[in-house]
Amino acid sequence: MATARAFRQLLKTERKTFNADLPQRIAAQKYTKDQFLNNKDVSDPVIIDRMIKEAYLADEIIKKHVVQGVLKDSSNGEPVYELKITEETEKGKNDDRFIVPPKGKRSSQPHSKCS
C-alpha cells in the first residue's frame, strides 16, 4: 500500500507541476512508471522502504524546486514567460547558496602528492 501511495503522489505532483507542458509531463510520468515497474519484484523490506523514501523525496524536490515557465506572449519579438509558482514552491533569497565559504588557514606543511 505504501508503494502505491508514493506512486500516486508522485504522479499527482508531476501532473500539477507540468500541467502546461504536456511533453514534459508525459516524460516525467513515463520515467516514474518505468522506475516503479523495474523494481516491482523487489521483496527486501529494507530496500522497498528506501525506494519509497526516495519517491517521496523526489516528490518534495519537484514540489519545492521545479517551477514551470509558460510562454504568454511573443508578439513584440521577445518571448514573455509566466512562472507557475505555487504555495509549495520554496521562495526566498538564494544569494547564500552561491557564496563560496572562506578558505581556512593554509598549512605551512607541503601536501604530499597522490600516486
Side-chain angles (χ1 to χ4, degrees), residues 39-73:
N39 292 294
K40 69 180 180 179
D41 296 324
V42 174
S43 59
D44 183 338
V46 173
I47 294 173
I48 292 170
D49 187 53
R50 188 194 75 219
M51 288 191 288
I52 290 170
K53 287 177 183 174
E54 287 176 3
Y56 280 116
L57 177 61
D59 181 69
E60 281 296 307
I61 289 170
I62 292 169
K63 281 180 184 175
K64 291 182 177 183
H65 302 287
V66 176
V67 177
Q68 187 70 42
V70 178
L71 182 63
K72 282 304 197 184
D73 184 26

